[in-house]
Amino acid sequence: MDSNLAHIHLLLNHFPTIGFAIGFILLVIGTIVKNEEIKHASLVILFLIALIAIPTYLSGPAALDKICERVSGQVVCPPGLSLTLIQEHEDWALFAFSVMEVTGFIAWLGLWQMRRTPKLGTANLAAVLLLGAISFGLMAVAANKGGDIRHPEIQSEQAIQMAKDGTRVPIARAIGNFVIAKTWVWPTCESLHFVGLSLLFVAVLFVNLRVLGIGKSLAFSSVYQFLPLGLIGFGVNLVTGMMFFLASPQQYIHNVEFHRKIVFVLLCGVNVLYFMLFDKAWRVKAGEDAPISSKVAAAISIYLWIGVLYYGEMLPFLGNSF
Amino acid sequence: MNEFLQNIEQSGFASWVRESPSIFAFPSILLVHTIGMGIVAGISGGINLRILGMAPAIKLAPLQRFLPVLWFGFWVNAITGTMLLTSDVSLKLHNPDFYIKMAFIAISLILLRIMRNDVFGSPEAETGKFSTRSKMLAWASLFCWLVVITSGRLLAYVGNYSNLK
């Protein structure tokens, strides 16, 4: 499984660079030619790439475990591979990933707003352009560093010395050590993870249950206004979830329940696009019954989110997490 | 009293919840309890946030239709919560955190009742412009659910706790 994950990392890592570049360039073109449809398409791409960036980042430590060994807690890489360069790659990847998620979040808000008013707001456009450019720059450095991993001859004298001294602590490890060392951080993040889940459920319940027929006197376009609360809840859980992952990546990358949870999270991300991009649900007025295809999408949404909860809950019981 | 609690804890059912390797024991009961939490806090939270001005296109009155869903989640959690409680009742009942959680659930339910009577039935539910009192009730309700969720999660970490999480 781990070797598969390493391959997944090598496969996925092209998306945040090339895919994001395509989305970003489309947005620039859309802005220049003032075409809202091109902008709309680019926001969809940027959101989807931000989603794919999640498993790309999370599979990184599995790729490390594939090429290097752990000897009594220390990572030992074979000759021809530089741990320093791997750590630099990981640092830049974390920066790039963080900014890319914020970009994806704002791109999603733009899409959400475009459902109601066809023109993308100036503030949203400016934010996505600025953050998108930063994300792409950071991701390009991360990708470049990743490519350098098999070229230890290019590392600086200083870097080699720091690796020998063991003085270089990668940022991901520093955050992870903080989560482990301070006993209050883990329970606090867990509590916030549950608060985020509840916020996510505001959107999941009201939107999907309305489509399924509860509270029919509400037009779909009104409950649609709850969707951003769900995304905020998702954001809280992405940040707190990353804290758990950085604290102990080993217990997640070797845990098949975690892999399944992430797959379900990605499917949830695709599912929400159905309600944002297609017109069938959007046209459901107050008092009207939703069409069967929308009901199926709503039922799938509830199934997927319960799946996310199931795999999350089972991490310690079926998998090896604590 | 302690003997009584230990008898409950040593019962076949409580031992099964606590010790069975089956995923239908502790893990699934906790999963259903978590889903129930999402339903109760999600529905109540949505109503509170609407009163506080979010999602202005939503009329408050039709949100009453979601209250039976909330109550469904509540009773599911009352049942699963009791099942979880039996598994280490002597520890839980000596943990102040447990009483904080129970007290805030009680306050949340009282707030919900007041809101159903005073806010849902009032003219402000139609106009969508809510009085300061209604908004204070909504803030109080949000705060109470926040305490319930946090104190519930912390049961695995503070006071006398078992290894069950």
Side-chain angles (χ1 to χ4, degrees), chain A residues 36-71:
Chain A
E36 298 304 315
E37 280 181 15
I38 296 178
K39 286 185 205 166
H40 190 262
S42 77
L43 294 178
V44 174
I45 295 173
L46 293 176
F47 171 67
L48 287 175
I49 295 296
L51 273 183
I52 295 175
I54 298 173
T56 310
Y57 182 85
L58 297 179
S59 56
L64 171 68
D65 276 12
K66 176 70 183 164
I67 55 176
C68 298
E69 274 183 284
R70 276 173 201 279
V71 183

PDB file of all heavy atoms in Angstrom, chain A residues 36-71:
ATOM      1  N   GLU A  36     -17.041  36.213 -18.551  1.00  0.00           N
ATOM      2  CA  GLU A  36     -17.389  35.620 -17.247  1.00  0.00           C
ATOM      3  C   GLU A  36     -17.397  34.089 -17.304  1.00  0.00           C
ATOM      4  O   GLU A  36     -17.141  33.427 -16.306  1.00  0.00           O
ATOM      5  CB  GLU A  36     -18.760  36.132 -16.782  1.00  0.00           C
ATOM      6  CG  GLU A  36     -18.826  37.636 -16.551  1.00  0.00           C
ATOM      7  CD  GLU A  36     -17.789  38.158 -15.560  1.00  0.00           C
ATOM      8  OE1 GLU A  36     -17.609  37.539 -14.496  1.00  0.00           O
ATOM      9  OE2 GLU A  36     -17.145  39.186 -15.870  1.00  0.00           O
ATOM     10  N   GLU A  37     -17.704  33.529 -18.474  1.00  0.00           N
ATOM     11  CA  GLU A  37     -17.742  32.063 -18.574  1.00  0.00           C
ATOM     12  C   GLU A  37     -16.354  31.466 -18.431  1.00  0.00           C
ATOM     13  O   GLU A  37     -16.175  30.416 -17.802  1.00  0.00           O
ATOM     14  CB  GLU A  37     -18.376  31.632 -19.901  1.00  0.00           C
ATOM     15  CG  GLU A  37     -19.890  31.710 -19.825  1.00  0.00           C
ATOM     16  CD  GLU A  37     -20.568  31.275 -21.105  1.00  0.00           C
ATOM     17  OE1 GLU A  37     -19.901  30.657 -21.948  1.00  0.00           O
ATOM     18  OE2 GLU A  37     -21.763  31.586 -21.252  1.00  0.00           O
ATOM     19  N   ILE A  38     -15.366  32.136 -19.020  1.00  0.00           N
ATOM     20  CA  ILE A  38     -13.984  31.644 -18.880  1.00  0.00           C
ATOM     21  C   ILE A  38     -13.557  31.756 -17.414  1.00  0.00           C
ATOM     22  O   ILE A  38     -12.959  30.831 -16.853  1.00  0.00           O
ATOM     23  CB  ILE A  38     -13.013  32.434 -19.799  1.00  0.00           C
ATOM     24  CG1 ILE A  38     -13.385  32.203 -21.267  1.00  0.00           C
ATOM     25  CG2 ILE A  38     -11.572  32.020 -19.551  1.00  0.00           C
ATOM     26  CD1 ILE A  38     -12.524  32.960 -22.267  1.00  0.00           C
ATOM     27  N   LYS A  39     -13.901  32.884 -16.787  1.00  0.00           N
ATOM     28  CA  LYS A  39     -13.564  33.054 -15.359  1.00  0.00           C
ATOM     29  C   LYS A  39     -14.213  31.940 -14.536  1.00  0.00           C
ATOM     30  O   LYS A  39     -13.589  31.359 -13.646  1.00  0.00           O
ATOM     31  CB  LYS A  39     -14.082  34.404 -14.850  1.00  0.00           C
ATOM     32  CG  LYS A  39     -13.293  35.612 -15.316  1.00  0.00           C
ATOM     33  CD  LYS A  39     -13.856  36.850 -14.628  1.00  0.00           C
ATOM     34  CE  LYS A  39     -13.584  38.097 -15.437  1.00  0.00           C
ATOM     35  NZ  LYS A  39     -14.384  39.238 -14.971  1.00  0.00           N
ATOM     36  N   HIS A  40     -15.482  31.664 -14.846  1.00  0.00           N
ATOM     37  CA  HIS A  40     -16.232  30.637 -14.127  1.00  0.00           C
ATOM     38  C   HIS A  40     -15.530  29.282 -14.249  1.00  0.00           C
ATOM     39  O   HIS A  40     -15.319  28.581 -13.250  1.00  0.00           O
ATOM     40  CB  HIS A  40     -17.660  30.573 -14.703  1.00  0.00           C
ATOM     41  CG  HIS A  40     -18.604  29.737 -13.896  1.00  0.00           C
ATOM     42  ND1 HIS A  40     -18.900  28.441 -14.219  1.00  0.00           N
ATOM     43  CD2 HIS A  40     -19.311  30.015 -12.766  1.00  0.00           C
ATOM     44  CE1 HIS A  40     -19.759  27.956 -13.326  1.00  0.00           C
ATOM     45  NE2 HIS A  40     -20.022  28.891 -12.431  1.00  0.00           N
ATOM     46  N   ALA A  41     -15.144  28.941 -15.486  1.00  0.00           N
ATOM     47  CA  ALA A  41     -14.462  27.657 -15.714  1.00  0.00           C
ATOM     48  C   ALA A  41     -13.143  27.606 -14.943  1.00  0.00           C
ATOM     49  O   ALA A  41     -12.786  26.577 -14.355  1.00  0.00           O
ATOM     50  CB  ALA A  41     -14.218  27.466 -17.212  1.00  0.00           C
ATOM     51  N   SER A  42     -12.434  28.735 -14.934  1.00  0.00           N
ATOM     52  CA  SER A  42     -11.126  28.733 -14.256  1.00  0.00           C
ATOM     53  C   SER A  42     -11.307  28.557 -12.750  1.00  0.00           C
ATOM     54  O   SER A  42     -10.510  27.876 -12.107  1.00  0.00           O
ATOM     55  CB  SER A  42     -10.368  30.026 -14.561  1.00  0.00           C
ATOM     56  OG  SER A  42     -10.887  31.086 -13.796  1.00  0.00           O
ATOM     57  N   LEU A  43     -12.374  29.122 -12.189  1.00  0.00           N
ATOM     58  CA  LEU A  43     -12.614  28.959 -10.746  1.00  0.00           C
ATOM     59  C   LEU A  43     -12.901  27.500 -10.401  1.00  0.00           C
ATOM     60  O   LEU A  43     -12.472  26.998  -9.359  1.00  0.00           O
ATOM     61  CB  LEU A  43     -13.780  29.851 -10.290  1.00  0.00           C
ATOM     62  CG  LEU A  43     -13.550  31.361 -10.368  1.00  0.00           C
ATOM     63  CD1 LEU A  43     -14.814  32.111  -9.939  1.00  0.00           C
ATOM     64  CD2 LEU A  43     -12.375  31.796  -9.507  1.00  0.00           C
ATOM     65  N   VAL A  44     -13.653  26.819 -11.302  1.00  0.00           N
ATOM     66  CA  VAL A  44     -13.923  25.392 -11.079  1.00  0.00           C
ATOM     67  C   VAL A  44     -12.608  24.621 -11.054  1.00  0.00           C
ATOM     68  O   VAL A  44     -12.360  23.796 -10.165  1.00  0.00           O
ATOM     69  CB  VAL A  44     -14.855  24.825 -12.187  1.00  0.00           C
ATOM     70  CG1 VAL A  44     -15.008  23.314 -12.034  1.00  0.00           C
ATOM     71  CG2 VAL A  44     -16.219  25.497 -12.143  1.00  0.00           C
ATOM     72  N   ILE A  45     -11.728  24.927 -12.023  1.00  0.00           N
ATOM     73  CA  ILE A  45     -10.435  24.231 -12.085  1.00  0.00           C
ATOM     74  C   ILE A  45      -9.619  24.510 -10.817  1.00  0.00           C
ATOM     75  O   ILE A  45      -9.078  23.590 -10.190  1.00  0.00           O
ATOM     76  CB  ILE A  45      -9.643  24.659 -13.345  1.00  0.00           C
ATOM     77  CG1 ILE A  45     -10.385  24.195 -14.600  1.00  0.00           C
ATOM     78  CG2 ILE A  45      -8.226  24.083 -13.322  1.00  0.00           C
ATOM     79  CD1 ILE A  45      -9.789  24.699 -15.899  1.00  0.00           C
ATOM     80  N   LEU A  46      -9.555  25.779 -10.416  1.00  0.00           N
ATOM     81  CA  LEU A  46      -8.744  26.132  -9.237  1.00  0.00           C
ATOM     82  C   LEU A  46      -9.271  25.436  -7.984  1.00  0.00           C
ATOM     83  O   LEU A  46      -8.495  24.969  -7.144  1.00  0.00           O
ATOM     84  CB  LEU A  46      -8.719  27.657  -9.036  1.00  0.00           C
ATOM     85  CG  LEU A  46      -7.975  28.443 -10.121  1.00  0.00           C
ATOM     86  CD1 LEU A  46      -8.099  29.945  -9.869  1.00  0.00           C
ATOM     87  CD2 LEU A  46      -6.504  28.046 -10.189  1.00  0.00           C
ATOM     88  N   PHE A  47     -10.607  25.344  -7.863  1.00  0.00           N
ATOM     89  CA  PHE A  47     -11.188  24.663  -6.700  1.00  0.00           C
ATOM     90  C   PHE A  47     -10.838  23.172  -6.722  1.00  0.00           C
ATOM     91  O   PHE A  47     -10.406  22.601  -5.710  1.00  0.00           O
ATOM     92  CB  PHE A  47     -12.710  24.858  -6.668  1.00  0.00           C
ATOM     93  CG  PHE A  47     -13.409  24.012  -5.644  1.00  0.00           C
ATOM     94  CD1 PHE A  47     -13.205  24.240  -4.281  1.00  0.00           C
ATOM     95  CD2 PHE A  47     -14.258  22.978  -6.008  1.00  0.00           C
ATOM     96  CE1 PHE A  47     -13.835  23.450  -3.313  1.00  0.00           C
ATOM     97  CE2 PHE A  47     -14.889  22.187  -5.057  1.00  0.00           C
ATOM     98  CZ  PHE A  47     -14.683  22.426  -3.712  1.00  0.00           C
ATOM     99  N   LEU A  48     -10.998  22.546  -7.900  1.00  0.00           N
ATOM    100  CA  LEU A  48     -10.712  21.111  -7.990  1.00  0.00           C
ATOM    101  C   LEU A  48      -9.225  20.826  -7.733  1.00  0.00           C
ATOM    102  O   LEU A  48      -8.877  19.840  -7.082  1.00  0.00           O
ATOM    103  CB  LEU A  48     -11.125  20.567  -9.370  1.00  0.00           C
ATOM    104  CG  LEU A  48     -12.641  20.439  -9.580  1.00  0.00           C
ATOM    105  CD1 LEU A  48     -12.949  20.021 -11.017  1.00  0.00           C
ATOM    106  CD2 LEU A  48     -13.246  19.423  -8.601  1.00  0.00           C
ATOM    107  N   ILE A  49      -8.353  21.710  -8.234  1.00  0.00           N
ATOM    108  CA  ILE A  49      -6.917  21.505  -8.023  1.00  0.00           C
ATOM    109  C   ILE A  49      -6.583  21.654  -6.536  1.00  0.00           C
ATOM    110  O   ILE A  49      -5.764  20.908  -5.985  1.00  0.00           O
ATOM    111  CB  ILE A  49      -6.085  22.487  -8.880  1.00  0.00           C
ATOM    112  CG1 ILE A  49      -6.297  22.198 -10.373  1.00  0.00           C
ATOM    113  CG2 ILE A  49      -4.612  22.414  -8.515  1.00  0.00           C
ATOM    114  CD1 ILE A  49      -5.818  20.844 -10.840  1.00  0.00           C
ATOM    115  N   ALA A  50      -7.245  22.616  -5.868  1.00  0.00           N
ATOM    116  CA  ALA A  50      -7.020  22.772  -4.427  1.00  0.00           C
ATOM    117  C   ALA A  50      -7.433  21.501  -3.686  1.00  0.00           C
ATOM    118  O   ALA A  50      -6.804  21.110  -2.704  1.00  0.00           O
ATOM    119  CB  ALA A  50      -7.796  23.972  -3.893  1.00  0.00           C
ATOM    120  N   LEU A  51      -8.487  20.831  -4.194  1.00  0.00           N
ATOM    121  CA  LEU A  51      -8.901  19.555  -3.593  1.00  0.00           C
ATOM    122  C   LEU A  51      -7.840  18.479  -3.810  1.00  0.00           C
ATOM    123  O   LEU A  51      -7.465  17.766  -2.887  1.00  0.00           O
ATOM    124  CB  LEU A  51     -10.212  19.072  -4.233  1.00  0.00           C
ATOM    125  CG  LEU A  51     -11.548  19.545  -3.672  1.00  0.00           C
ATOM    126  CD1 LEU A  51     -12.671  18.865  -4.451  1.00  0.00           C
ATOM    127  CD2 LEU A  51     -11.681  19.217  -2.195  1.00  0.00           C
ATOM    128  N   ILE A  52      -7.359  18.386  -5.064  1.00  0.00           N
ATOM    129  CA  ILE A  52      -6.370  17.345  -5.383  1.00  0.00           C
ATOM    130  C   ILE A  52      -5.067  17.588  -4.624  1.00  0.00           C
ATOM    131  O   ILE A  52      -4.328  16.652  -4.311  1.00  0.00           O
ATOM    132  CB  ILE A  52      -6.129  17.286  -6.918  1.00  0.00           C
ATOM    133  CG1 ILE A  52      -7.416  16.833  -7.608  1.00  0.00           C
ATOM    134  CG2 ILE A  52      -4.999  16.337  -7.275  1.00  0.00           C
ATOM    135  CD1 ILE A  52      -7.350  16.858  -9.111  1.00  0.00           C
ATOM    136  N   ALA A  53      -4.802  18.867  -4.297  1.00  0.00           N
ATOM    137  CA  ALA A  53      -3.570  19.182  -3.553  1.00  0.00           C
ATOM    138  C   ALA A  53      -3.568  18.509  -2.176  1.00  0.00           C
ATOM    139  O   ALA A  53      -2.506  18.250  -1.609  1.00  0.00           O
ATOM    140  CB  ALA A  53      -3.420  20.695  -3.408  1.00  0.00           C
ATOM    141  N   ILE A  54      -4.774  18.204  -1.641  1.00  0.00           N
ATOM    142  CA  ILE A  54      -4.836  17.581  -0.303  1.00  0.00           C
ATOM    143  C   ILE A  54      -4.156  16.198  -0.321  1.00  0.00           C
ATOM    144  O   ILE A  54      -3.195  15.990   0.422  1.00  0.00           O
ATOM    145  CB  ILE A  54      -6.296  17.504   0.222  1.00  0.00           C
ATOM    146  CG1 ILE A  54      -6.863  18.927   0.373  1.00  0.00           C
ATOM    147  CG2 ILE A  54      -6.352  16.759   1.553  1.00  0.00           C
ATOM    148  CD1 ILE A  54      -8.356  18.967   0.713  1.00  0.00           C
ATOM    149  N   PRO A  55      -4.615  15.243  -1.178  1.00  0.00           N
ATOM    150  CA  PRO A  55      -3.905  13.949  -1.180  1.00  0.00           C
ATOM    151  C   PRO A  55      -2.479  14.064  -1.696  1.00  0.00           C
ATOM    152  O   PRO A  55      -1.632  13.235  -1.343  1.00  0.00           O
ATOM    153  CB  PRO A  55      -4.762  13.071  -2.102  1.00  0.00           C
ATOM    154  CG  PRO A  55      -5.557  14.007  -2.922  1.00  0.00           C
ATOM    155  CD  PRO A  55      -5.785  15.217  -2.070  1.00  0.00           C
ATOM    156  N   THR A  56      -2.214  15.085  -2.530  1.00  0.00           N
ATOM    157  CA  THR A  56      -0.833  15.244  -3.008  1.00  0.00           C
ATOM    158  C   THR A  56       0.083  15.513  -1.826  1.00  0.00           C
ATOM    159  O   THR A  56       1.137  14.876  -1.685  1.00  0.00           O
ATOM    160  CB  THR A  56      -0.737  16.425  -4.006  1.00  0.00           C
ATOM    161  OG1 THR A  56      -1.741  16.281  -4.997  1.00  0.00           O
ATOM    162  CG2 THR A  56       0.624  16.468  -4.675  1.00  0.00           C
ATOM    163  N   TYR A  57      -0.326  16.453  -0.963  1.00  0.00           N
ATOM    164  CA  TYR A  57       0.519  16.758   0.191  1.00  0.00           C
ATOM    165  C   TYR A  57       0.585  15.558   1.150  1.00  0.00           C
ATOM    166  O   TYR A  57       1.657  15.178   1.612  1.00  0.00           O
ATOM    167  CB  TYR A  57      -0.007  17.996   0.946  1.00  0.00           C
ATOM    168  CG  TYR A  57       0.907  18.330   2.104  1.00  0.00           C
ATOM    169  CD1 TYR A  57       2.041  19.117   1.908  1.00  0.00           C
ATOM    170  CD2 TYR A  57       0.695  17.785   3.361  1.00  0.00           C
ATOM    171  CE1 TYR A  57       2.914  19.366   2.948  1.00  0.00           C
ATOM    172  CE2 TYR A  57       1.571  18.025   4.407  1.00  0.00           C
ATOM    173  CZ  TYR A  57       2.676  18.820   4.200  1.00  0.00           C
ATOM    174  OH  TYR A  57       3.550  19.046   5.213  1.00  0.00           O
ATOM    175  N   LEU A  58      -0.597  14.967   1.419  1.00  0.00           N
ATOM    176  CA  LEU A  58      -0.663  13.903   2.431  1.00  0.00           C
ATOM    177  C   LEU A  58       0.116  12.651   2.032  1.00  0.00           C
ATOM    178  O   LEU A  58       0.559  11.893   2.892  1.00  0.00           O
ATOM    179  CB  LEU A  58      -2.128  13.525   2.713  1.00  0.00           C
ATOM    180  CG  LEU A  58      -3.011  14.632   3.301  1.00  0.00           C
ATOM    181  CD1 LEU A  58      -4.432  14.129   3.497  1.00  0.00           C
ATOM    182  CD2 LEU A  58      -2.455  15.139   4.627  1.00  0.00           C
ATOM    183  N   SER A  59       0.284  12.423   0.712  1.00  0.00           N
ATOM    184  CA  SER A  59       1.010  11.225   0.284  1.00  0.00           C
ATOM    185  C   SER A  59       2.514  11.457   0.275  1.00  0.00           C
ATOM    186  O   SER A  59       3.283  10.510   0.062  1.00  0.00           O
ATOM    187  CB  SER A  59       0.519  10.766  -1.096  1.00  0.00           C
ATOM    188  OG  SER A  59       0.647  11.827  -2.035  1.00  0.00           O
ATOM    189  N   GLY A  60       2.935  12.697   0.526  1.00  0.00           N
ATOM    190  CA  GLY A  60       4.371  13.004   0.538  1.00  0.00           C
ATOM    191  C   GLY A  60       5.170  12.164   1.524  1.00  0.00           C
ATOM    192  O   GLY A  60       6.155  11.513   1.136  1.00  0.00           O
ATOM    193  N   PRO A  61       4.763  12.115   2.802  1.00  0.00           N
ATOM    194  CA  PRO A  61       5.526  11.315   3.762  1.00  0.00           C
ATOM    195  C   PRO A  61       5.595   9.835   3.380  1.00  0.00           C
ATOM    196  O   PRO A  61       6.561   9.148   3.740  1.00  0.00           O
ATOM    197  CB  PRO A  61       4.762  11.513   5.075  1.00  0.00           C
ATOM    198  CG  PRO A  61       4.086  12.826   4.926  1.00  0.00           C
ATOM    199  CD  PRO A  61       3.722  12.921   3.469  1.00  0.00           C
ATOM    200  N   ALA A  62       4.579   9.332   2.661  1.00  0.00           N
ATOM    201  CA  ALA A  62       4.616   7.928   2.225  1.00  0.00           C
ATOM    202  C   ALA A  62       5.711   7.738   1.178  1.00  0.00           C
ATOM    203  O   ALA A  62       6.405   6.714   1.169  1.00  0.00           O
ATOM    204  CB  ALA A  62       3.269   7.516   1.650  1.00  0.00           C
ATOM    205  N   ALA A  63       5.858   8.757   0.316  1.00  0.00           N
ATOM    206  CA  ALA A  63       6.922   8.683  -0.698  1.00  0.00           C
ATOM    207  C   ALA A  63       8.286   8.692  -0.004  1.00  0.00           C
ATOM    208  O   ALA A  63       9.210   7.971  -0.399  1.00  0.00           O
ATOM    209  CB  ALA A  63       6.803   9.857  -1.675  1.00  0.00           C
ATOM    210  N   LEU A  64       8.400   9.499   1.067  1.00  0.00           N
ATOM    211  CA  LEU A  64       9.657   9.542   1.835  1.00  0.00           C
ATOM    212  C   LEU A  64       9.958   8.165   2.419  1.00  0.00           C
ATOM    213  O   LEU A  64      11.089   7.673   2.337  1.00  0.00           O
ATOM    214  CB  LEU A  64       9.547  10.583   2.959  1.00  0.00           C
ATOM    215  CG  LEU A  64      10.694  10.585   3.976  1.00  0.00           C
ATOM    216  CD1 LEU A  64      11.982  11.063   3.331  1.00  0.00           C
ATOM    217  CD2 LEU A  64      10.359  11.451   5.183  1.00  0.00           C
ATOM    218  N   ASP A  65       8.921   7.524   3.012  1.00  0.00           N
ATOM    219  CA  ASP A  65       9.124   6.208   3.618  1.00  0.00           C
ATOM    220  C   ASP A  65       9.523   5.164   2.580  1.00  0.00           C
ATOM    221  O   ASP A  65      10.156   4.165   2.908  1.00  0.00           O
ATOM    222  CB  ASP A  65       7.836   5.748   4.324  1.00  0.00           C
ATOM    223  CG  ASP A  65       7.747   6.329   5.724  1.00  0.00           C
ATOM    224  OD1 ASP A  65       8.541   7.239   6.028  1.00  0.00           O
ATOM    225  OD2 ASP A  65       6.878   5.889   6.503  1.00  0.00           O
ATOM    226  N   LYS A  66       9.117   5.410   1.348  1.00  0.00           N
ATOM    227  CA  LYS A  66       9.440   4.448   0.288  1.00  0.00           C
ATOM    228  C   LYS A  66      10.921   4.533  -0.097  1.00  0.00           C
ATOM    229  O   LYS A  66      11.560   3.510  -0.323  1.00  0.00           O
ATOM    230  CB  LYS A  66       8.549   4.752  -0.932  1.00  0.00           C
ATOM    231  CG  LYS A  66       8.821   3.902  -2.151  1.00  0.00           C
ATOM    232  CD  LYS A  66       8.380   2.466  -1.926  1.00  0.00           C
ATOM    233  CE  LYS A  66       8.736   1.598  -3.136  1.00  0.00           C
ATOM    234  NZ  LYS A  66       8.681   0.171  -2.800  1.00  0.00           N
ATOM    235  N   ILE A  67      11.439   5.764  -0.150  1.00  0.00           N
ATOM    236  CA  ILE A  67      12.811   5.900  -0.645  1.00  0.00           C
ATOM    237  C   ILE A  67      13.845   5.937   0.480  1.00  0.00           C
ATOM    238  O   ILE A  67      15.008   5.645   0.255  1.00  0.00           O
ATOM    239  CB  ILE A  67      12.977   7.135  -1.571  1.00  0.00           C
ATOM    240  CG1 ILE A  67      12.527   8.423  -0.874  1.00  0.00           C
ATOM    241  CG2 ILE A  67      12.226   6.941  -2.878  1.00  0.00           C
ATOM    242  CD1 ILE A  67      12.756   9.681  -1.700  1.00  0.00           C
ATOM    243  N   CYS A  68      13.429   6.322   1.700  1.00  0.00           N
ATOM    244  CA  CYS A  68      14.374   6.350   2.820  1.00  0.00           C
ATOM    245  C   CYS A  68      13.878   5.400   3.912  1.00  0.00           C
ATOM    246  O   CYS A  68      12.727   5.009   3.920  1.00  0.00           O
ATOM    247  CB  CYS A  68      14.509   7.761   3.391  1.00  0.00           C
ATOM    248  SG  CYS A  68      15.145   8.943   2.187  1.00  0.00           S
ATOM    249  N   GLU A  69      14.782   5.063   4.829  1.00  0.00           N
ATOM    250  CA  GLU A  69      14.419   4.153   5.912  1.00  0.00           C
ATOM    251  C   GLU A  69      14.353   4.894   7.228  1.00  0.00           C
ATOM    252  O   GLU A  69      14.988   5.930   7.393  1.00  0.00           O
ATOM    253  CB  GLU A  69      15.481   3.051   6.035  1.00  0.00           C
ATOM    254  CG  GLU A  69      15.259   1.882   5.120  1.00  0.00           C
ATOM    255  CD  GLU A  69      16.302   0.815   5.367  1.00  0.00           C
ATOM    256  OE1 GLU A  69      17.460   1.008   4.924  1.00  0.00           O
ATOM    257  OE2 GLU A  69      15.971  -0.180   6.010  1.00  0.00           O
ATOM    258  N   ARG A  70      13.604   4.320   8.172  1.00  0.00           N
ATOM    259  CA  ARG A  70      13.589   4.873   9.526  1.00  0.00           C
ATOM    260  C   ARG A  70      14.385   3.941  10.420  1.00  0.00           C
ATOM    261  O   ARG A  70      14.033   2.782  10.588  1.00  0.00           O
ATOM    262  CB  ARG A  70      12.155   4.975  10.043  1.00  0.00           C
ATOM    263  CG  ARG A  70      11.498   6.216   9.583  1.00  0.00           C
ATOM    264  CD  ARG A  70      10.041   6.295   9.921  1.00  0.00           C
ATOM    265  NE  ARG A  70       9.441   7.255   9.021  1.00  0.00           N
ATOM    266  CZ  ARG A  70       9.497   8.571   9.204  1.00  0.00           C
ATOM    267  NH1 ARG A  70      10.086   9.063  10.256  1.00  0.00           N
ATOM    268  NH2 ARG A  70       8.951   9.389   8.329  1.00  0.00           N
ATOM    269  N   VAL A  71      15.486   4.467  10.953  1.00  0.00           N
ATOM    270  CA  VAL A  71      16.314   3.677  11.860  1.00  0.00           C
ATOM    271  C   VAL A  71      16.248   4.347  13.227  1.00  0.00           C
ATOM    272  O   VAL A  71      16.727   5.468  13.386  1.00  0.00           O
ATOM    273  CB  VAL A  71      17.774   3.602  11.361  1.00  0.00           C
ATOM    274  CG1 VAL A  71      18.609   2.710  12.278  1.00  0.00           C
ATOM    275  CG2 VAL A  71      17.811   3.097   9.925  1.00  0.00           C
TER     276      VAL A  71
END
